[in-house]
Structures are given as C-alpha cells and as structure tokens.
Amino acid sequence: MMVRTKALVIKEYIVGESDKYITLFTKDLGRIQAIAPKAKKSDKGFASATQLFVYGDFMLTSYKDTYRLVSVDLIEMFHNIRNDLSALSYASYMMEFIYYVTEPGLSQSELLKLTLVTLQALSKSEADYKRIRRVFEIRALGLLGFMPQLFACVDCGLAIDEKAEAHYYFSAEAGGLVCKGCKGTYEDGVSLSYSTLYTLQYILTVSLKQLYHFQISEEVQKELDAVGNHYVPYYVDKPFKTLDFIERLEKL
C-alpha cells in the first residue's frame, strides 16, 4: 500500500554499505521507521532528504509495520541548526526526547507542530537555547497529558492573586501549584515568583505562533530551570545522552 505523509526525520543510521534506516515523526502515522534503500548512492536525493531534522512530504510503501521510502519532497532542512554546535546539540536533544516520549503508530500532530516551531526558533541567530529548551519541555509534557494546574492551589483551591504577593510552589507530585499553607503535604516543591508562574501559564496556553516571542530575566530562567529539572524527570524517566554533551559543552 502506498502512503503519503508529512514527516520529520528524528533519527537516522546506516545499514550495510548504503541503506539507511530513518525514524520519522509523521503527521498522520505518529512515529514510524522506514528504510531508504541505497540512500548514500541513490539518484533520488535520498542522501540529503533522509538527514536528521529534515521535514518533508514523504511517499512510502507499507506492508504491515514495515515502511520503505519511495520519494520525498523537501519542505525544510533547518540548515542554520547544522552550522552552530550549540543549536545542533539542543536540537539533537529534542529529537532524542521526541523519540522517547512518542509511541509507534500513534498520531500526535500537535506535538509535531511544536517540534517544528521549536526547530525554527533554534534556527534564528539570536536564539536563546536554554529558554527554548525549557519552553519545549514544558509545552511538550502538557501535550502528552501532564498538564499542571497553574491557576490555583491544587489542594485548597486558593486562587492566584498577584497583588497579595503570596508565595507559591510547583510540585510535580501534586500535579501543579501548591500554596505555602499546603506545601507541607508534599515532599517536593520548587519555589516560584509570580513572574515565573505567569511565564509557565503563558508557555502552556499561548498559541504556537507566539510561543517563543517573549524574553525572560535571569531570575525567571533560573526558576524555569529548577521547574524543568524537577518536572521533566518525574514523568520522563530517562537520562538523555545529548543533555550530558550539552552540559560538557557549556562548561568549556
């Protein structure tokens, strides 16, 4: 059967002398694996069209759970990412993240849209890689069903009041925000300023077109890092090799 779908290459590896296996995050079929026969020698442009980060319109043949690449029309290759080591590292982490959190054959078109918007943000010369990483992680977990409650205390229902300057905490165990009075119920908890709380609300509710169109202070970035370091491992139990490389790179 012939299948046509828009897809992003999130993983690639060579088999034998010239064949290549690629993992595609598709609009219609979710995550699938396909073979690109003789990709390194093909005159169909498979060598470039099957690289990591390539987004295109893929024509495939399928038999049961096996897909074979027939042709591909390129839509975006994200060249700028390949020319910057930091951008390349963060983008590679996001591909590793997507590969781990998605399931074969399960369509997750909104997550694909988020990934494409994020790659576009990483491609810009003024990209703030640390901010982009945290925005991506938080929005992705929301799309995966782990949307935290950020507008009132999870336990007592105390509504957010900016003027009251009450102190709030983010708890993955609780599933979102807890006030100072309820914090003792949970062992975890990351202290939040109102600015960081508002930023989290923005990340989870704004349209994808506006997702990366904001700036934050160093203080908010530190608190977002604390939330991410606490929130992501709670739901995604995997040590990512690409993050280890990023940490080493940033120490240079």
Side-chain angles (χ1 to χ4, degrees), residues 2 5 50-51 60 130 154:
M2 195 73 74
T5 184
T50 56
Q51 294 181 74
L60 310 156
K130 291 183 179 180
V154 172

Side-chain angles (χ1 to χ4, degrees), residues 177-197:
L177 202 66
V178 290
C179 67
K180 188 174 182 179
C182 297
K183 180 182 180 295
T185 308
Y186 304 96
E187 295 182 359
D188 64 344
V190 175
S191 178
L192 297 180
S193 65
Y194 182 79
S195 295
T196 303
L197 176 55

Side-chain angles (χ1 to χ4, degrees), residues 5-235:
T5 184
K6 289 183 172 62
L8 175 70
V9 180
I10 62 173
K11 193 173 184 179
E12 59 169 330
Y13 58 95
I14 298 295
V15 179
E17 293 185 1
S18 60
D19 292 346
K20 181 187 281 190
Y21 274 101
I22 55 175
T23 301
L24 298 173
F25 186 24
T26 76
K27 177 183 177 182
D28 307 300
L29 306 169
R31 173 164 60 84
I32 63 172
Q33 184 168 284
I35 185 170
K38 302 186 184 304
K40 294 183 69 176
K41 300 179 180 179
S42 173
D43 59 0
K44 297 181 180 180
F46 284 177
S48 59
T50 56
Q51 294 181 74
L52 196 64
F53 314 129
V54 164
Y55 180 60
D57 195 355
F58 288 78
M59 185 71 74
L60 310 156
T61 57
S62 69
Y63 177 71
K64 295 184 178 180
D65 294 328
T66 303
Y67 293 88
R68 187 181 183 91
L69 182 60
V70 176
S71 66
V72 55
D73 293 326
L74 295 177
I75 297 174
E76 178 62 75
M77 294 188 70
F78 299 104
H79 283 296
N80 289 348
I81 288 177
R82 305 171 196 280
N83 297 327
D84 183 285
L85 183 57
S86 292
L88 179 63
S89 301
Y90 276 92
S92 297
Y93 160 62
M94 289 163 192
M95 298 304 98
E96 188 181 6
F97 182 96
I98 288 295
Y99 183 87
Y100 184 77
V101 302
T102 53
E103 297 182 22
L106 179 63
S107 177
Q108 294 173 296
S109 59
E110 288 302 309
L111 188 57
L112 174 59
K113 291 177 185 177
L114 169 64
T115 307
L116 293 171
V117 167
T118 303
L119 290 175
Q120 290 170 354
L122 286 172
S123 298
K124 296 180 179 179
S125 58
E126 70 279 10
D128 182 341
Y129 304 126
K130 291 183 179 180
R131 174 175 57 87
I132 291 171
R133 170 195 169 182
R134 295 308 183 186
V135 172
F136 170 78
E137 291 172 337
I138 292 165
R139 184 68 172 244
L141 287 178
L143 291 173
L144 289 165
F146 307 116
M147 179 75 77
Q149 163 61 272
L150 293 174
F151 293 90
C153 175
V154 172
D155 266 13
C156 69
L158 178 67
I160 303 303
D161 185 352
E162 178 183 4
K163 295 180 180 179
E165 296 184 355
H167 212 79
Y168 299 94
Y169 300 85
F170 181 90
S171 167
E173 181 185 358
L177 202 66
V178 290
C179 67
K180 188 174 182 179
C182 297
K183 180 182 180 295
T185 308
Y186 304 96
E187 295 182 359
D188 64 344
V190 175
S191 178
L192 297 180
S193 65
Y194 182 79
S195 295
T196 303
L197 176 55
Y198 178 82
T199 300
L200 287 168
Q201 293 171 344
Y202 180 91
I203 291 169
L204 287 165
T205 59
V206 75
S207 70
L208 286 179
K209 289 183 179 180
Q210 298 298 318
L211 184 59
Y212 293 106
H213 292 192
F214 71 98
Q215 302 296 323
I216 55 176
S217 67
E218 289 185 12
E219 178 185 354
V220 171
Q221 180 65 59
K222 288 179 181 178
E223 291 188 357
L224 276 185
D225 287 339
V227 169
N229 290 336
H230 167 70
Y231 180 44
V232 176
Y234 189 86
Y235 292 108

